[in-house]
Every structure is written in C-alpha cells, then in structure tokens.
C-alpha cells in the first residue's frame, strides 16, 4: 500500500494505485484509490471502509523491515 507514496517520492513523480478487495465480514466489494500524497478516495458512494494510514518515524524503527515492526 505504501507503493505510490514511497515510489512517488523516490522518483519525484505523482503516482497512484487502485485497490480492489472485499470486506472480510460481508463479502461486499471495496474499491479505493491511493496517491503519492496519501490522498485516498473510495469509489462506491455507499461504502464506508475504515482506512488506516500509519504515520511513523522511520528513524525509530528497530527491525530490518517496516513490516517487522508492525
């Protein structure tokens, strides 16, 4: 999920991605977009998924990977 943000800043370009998934409880489809400025938009007007964008200090991470610290 961090791809557009990380790659966008490394390449100094505006990037975006579209995520198509489904709710694990109801099975309803969820489609949202995320861009290199961490803006997001949910496509289905009736959908209200909870999107979480963690803001972390990379300098404070102890693990070899950001995933390992979560």
């Amino acid at each position: 999920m961090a791809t557009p943000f990380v790659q966008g800043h490394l390449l100094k370009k505006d990037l975006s991605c579209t995520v198509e998934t489904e709710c694990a409880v109801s099975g309803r489809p969820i489609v949202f977009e995320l861009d290199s400025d961490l803006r997001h938009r949910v496509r289905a007007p009736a959908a209200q998924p909870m999107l979480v964008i963690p803001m972390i200090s990379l300098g404070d991470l102890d693990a070899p990977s950001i995933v390992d610290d979560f």
Side-chain angles (χ1 to χ4, degrees), residues 6-64:
V6 174
Q7 278 192 310
H9 285 271
L10 290 175
L11 299 173
K12 295 180 170 69
K13 293 183 177 181
D14 291 329
L15 299 177
S16 65
C17 71
T18 301
V19 176
E20 296 180 16
T21 187
E22 66 181 35
C23 175
V25 176
S26 68
R28 288 184 290 188
I30 300 171
V31 180
F32 65 93
E33 299 168 350
L34 181 67
D35 70 16
S36 52
D37 290 322
L38 294 179
R39 289 183 299 247
H40 63 277
R41 181 174 75 95
V42 178
R43 282 199 189 163
Q48 295 292 324
M50 180 174 52
L51 303 176
V52 178
I53 301 173
M55 303 304 285
I56 60 166
S57 170
L58 294 176
D60 292 337
L61 297 180
D62 293 327

